Structure formats: C-alpha cells, structure tokens
Amino acid sequence: MPNKVPKSAFKWIIGSIVVVAIAFIGFRFWKSQQAELPEGIVSGNGRIEAKLVDVAPKEPLRVKEILVNEGDLVQSDQVLVRMDTTTLEASLAEANASVAAAQERLAQAQASIVKQKSEIELADIELERVKNLLGDGAASQRELDVRKSKVETTRASLAEAQALLKTATQEVEVARANAETIQTRINDATLKSPVTGRVLYRLAEPGEVLEPGGGALTLVNLDDVYMEIFLPANEAASVKLGSEARITVDYEPERSVPAFVSFVSPDAQFTPKQVETKSEREKLMFRVKLQLPEELATRYVEQIKTGVRGVGYVKVDPSTAWPTQLQKVIAARPATR
C-alpha cells in the first residue's frame, strides 16, 4: 500500500497554498491600486513627437557640400549645406562694377555743380561791375546784356547739373540695391539650421540640382517636443488649455516629465462627424496635445528620441494631487544648492 501523507503535513501544504494565494491576490490588488488614477486626472497612450523642419534653397542651385549626416544633432544657425554660387558671384562682381561706375558719374555730377556755382558767383560779380560802369558811363548797354545772358546761362547749366546729380544718385542706389540683392542670394545659398534639432533625413547629395523649396535635409525640431493623446468626449470636455500634465515613457515609467496642455482638438476623431445618439457620442475621441516646456527640451536635447511610446496624464481638477508614481519628476533645471 502506498504511504499516506500525514495529516499534519497535508494541513501545512494547504496552509502554504492559501498563504501564497493571499499574497498573490494582495500583490495584484496593490499593483492595481498603484496604477489606478485618482478622480481629477485622466490619461491616454501616445508617443513623443516633434515638429519637422525642411532645410531647402530659395532658388534652383547645385549642391556643393552637405556638412551633416542623418542622426546628427545640430544647433540653431549652424551651417548645414552650401550651394554652388559660382554664377551668382560672377553676377555680384558685375553688379559691384556697376556700383563703381555709378559712383564715378555721381562724383562728376557733384564736381559739375561746384563748378557751375562758382561760375554763377563770378557772373553775378561781373554783372554788378558792368552795372556800376554803365552808371558812370564807362560801359555800354550791350556789355550789360551780355553779362545778364551769362548769368542766365550759368544758372541754367546749374539746373542741368543738379538734374544729372539726381539721376546719378538714383543710379548709385539702384546699382547698390542690385548688388545687395545678389549678395543676399549668395548668403541664402548657405543653408543654416533654423532650430535646434536632429537630422532625420538627408534628401540630397553633392552635385544634385535642387528646385526652389526642394529639401536638402529634414530636421526634427527639438525645441517643439510634445505628446498627443486621445481622450473620450466626457474627459476631453474637462481639459483646459494650460492644464498641468505629466508624461511617462515605456522604457522608464518610474520617472515622469512635466508638461502642459497646449491644444485640444475641437473635432472628434474615429467616428462620423454627425452623431445623434448619446451612446455614439460617448465613443468620440478628441486629440489633446501635451507640450514639453522649451527649457526642459533644451536641457535634455541630446536624450530626446522621437517615436518613443508612453502615457500622458492631465489634471482636469487642479486641486487633485498627483499619485505617487507620477511624483518623481525630471526637473527643468539642476537643483541649486
């Protein structure tokens, strides 16, 4: 006959099973309590995203060199791409020559005016002298008429020189504006990063000709980082712009990132726009954008990775305290001693 299990041992085994079961149920209950959100806080799944920025020339030019690769972190105003400006530089040299020629004509017009003014002064002096001599009977009326004509002629020449000066001044301004325009085009052919970001795509290579607006690079703008979550209509209705928020990512759920609500979609998604019944309206989902503070994004710019999935939390009741699992927050600034 097989050995029977002693009664005391059987009781001990049953007791152990009960203890383990109670412990397991207690652990599951504790975990569910940890994950449960208090009234006044809502949540939704999402992923870290950022605005995309294209780096492109303003006019058709050939790519001379690209100074970055995909994945590189770039700073605002950093030179990323240089386009070939050989033709533009030739046009600039021609424009600068036109400026020099116009300035020479301007100088000649200015000198002519000085000369005409001197001649007018001399003609006026001679006219007065002849008038005096005519009064004394030492000059003839004919000589007086000649002097008057000389004054009128020199004054007419001055008016002509002044008109030439005005024209020469305008020519200089036009020539300078043309040269400045070409210089601006040359400057624009050096493509700089408009934001602090990361190179997502390298769309061109040296030697390619890009059309106006044709992208050379696509950047992820790390100054504008956010997570979009979707909330049902009854929860989204309580969310206000500027509401306090938290973001956690899947690979580090024990730490949260402070954020704020920057956008709540006025339109529902996932269901038809025209919904009549209450049961259908409750299925509507609204897009809510949780924005990271720019200061925080700037500090952790090298660690930020777009596409990382996580959870976004929003306070719909400002008086509600954040639960324990969301109180370990990444600071925007290092703590000061």
Side-chain angles (χ1 to χ4, degrees):
M1 291 183 64
N3 295 331
K4 292 184 178 180
V5 178
K7 197 176 210 179
S8 60
F10 182 76
K11 289 182 179 180
W12 182 86
I13 293 172
I14 295 298
S16 298
I17 293 173
V18 170
V19 169
V20 171
I22 293 174
F24 177 75
I25 293 171
F27 176 77
R28 292 293 299 270
F29 177 77
W30 177 80
K31 289 293 288 183
S32 66
Q33 290 296 104
Q34 288 292 102
E36 185 178 349
L37 292 175
E39 291 287 337
I41 296 178
V42 296
S43 67
N45 296 323
R47 63 179 184 177
I48 301 298
E49 300 182 62
K51 292 286 183 65
L52 300 183
V53 179
D54 287 331
V55 177
K58 292 183 177 180
E59 57 184 291
L61 292 171
R62 189 179 302 278
V63 178
K64 185 176 181 180
E65 58 179 337
I66 298 180
L67 305 176
V68 292
N69 293 307
E70 291 181 355
D72 287 353
L73 184 66
V74 299
Q75 301 299 321
S76 177
D77 210 36
Q78 178 180 335
V79 176
L80 305 180
V81 182
R82 288 191 175 93
M83 309 299 289
D84 190 344
T85 58
T86 303
T87 303
L88 291 176
E89 288 168 2
S91 298
L92 179 61
E94 183 179 349
N96 286 334
S98 297
V99 171
Q103 288 175 331
E104 185 177 349
R105 289 191 292 272
L106 177 62
Q108 291 174 352
Q110 291 171 335
S112 178
I113 287 177
V114 172
K115 178 182 178 182
Q116 296 301 327
K117 287 182 177 180
S118 297
E119 290 181 356
I120 288 173
E121 290 177 3
L122 178 59
D124 286 340
I125 292 172
E126 290 178 345
L127 178 60
E128 288 300 319
R129 184 182 299 128
V130 170
K131 285 181 180 179
N132 293 332
L133 291 174
L134 183 62
D136 296 336
S140 64
Q141 183 64 41
R142 180 179 180 282
E143 190 173 357
L144 179 62
D145 293 340
V146 170
R147 294 304 175 188
K148 286 182 178 180
S149 178
K150 179 67 173 177
V151 170
E152 292 174 357
T153 302
T154 52
R155 289 188 184 279
S157 297
L158 175 61
E160 182 181 355
Q162 288 174 333
L164 290 174
L165 175 63
K166 185 177 180 180
T167 300
T169 301
Q170 292 174 342
E171 288 177 351
V172 170
E173 291 175 355
V174 170
R176 282 177 175 168
N178 185 38
E180 289 173 1
T181 299
I182 296 174
Q183 183 62 61
T184 299
R185 292 169 64 192
I186 291 175
N187 294 343
D188 289 343
T190 299
L191 308 185
K192 298 180 180 180
S193 175
V195 297
T196 299
R198 194 175 297 279
V199 180
L200 181 62
Y201 301 118
R202 178 167 163 159
L203 304 174
E205 295 298 331
E208 293 184 36
V209 176
L210 298 182
E211 295 299 322
L217 300 168
T218 297
L219 307 180
V220 176
N221 181 5
L222 296 179
D223 291 332
D224 189 358
V225 182
Y226 58 92
M227 173 183 281
E228 288 185 342
I229 62 174
F230 292 87
L231 300 176
N234 61 326
E235 294 181 355
S238 303
V239 176
K240 297 179 181 178
L241 292 179
S243 295
E244 189 178 353
R246 292 280 191 273
I247 293 174
T248 63
V249 291
D250 291 348
Y251 67 84
E252 197 174 2
E254 69 278 3
R255 300 180 71 189
S256 63
V257 179
F260 62 92
V261 176
S262 62
F263 174 78
V264 179
S265 175
D267 299 320
Q269 297 181 238
F270 304 142
T271 57
K273 293 183 179 179
Q274 301 299 327
V275 182
E276 301 299 333
T277 65
K278 183 175 184 298
S279 61
E280 286 300 310
R281 286 200 302 272
E282 290 174 349
K283 296 178 183 178
L284 297 175
M285 302 293 283
F286 289 80
R287 181 166 59 93
V288 178
K289 184 176 179 182
L290 310 183
Q291 187 79 36
L292 268 68
E294 186 174 339
E295 183 182 21
L296 184 67
T298 300
R299 182 185 174 198
Y300 292 97
V301 65
E302 294 190 6
Q303 288 78 30
I304 292 174
K305 299 291 187 296
T306 57
V308 174
R309 299 191 178 276
V311 181
Y313 302 85
V314 181
K315 270 190 182 183
V316 294
D317 181 358
S319 64
T320 303
W322 289 109
T324 304
Q325 68 268 26
L326 295 177
Q327 290 181 1
K328 188 177 181 182
V329 179
I330 297 175
R333 290 178 178 169
T336 55
R337 296 181 180 178

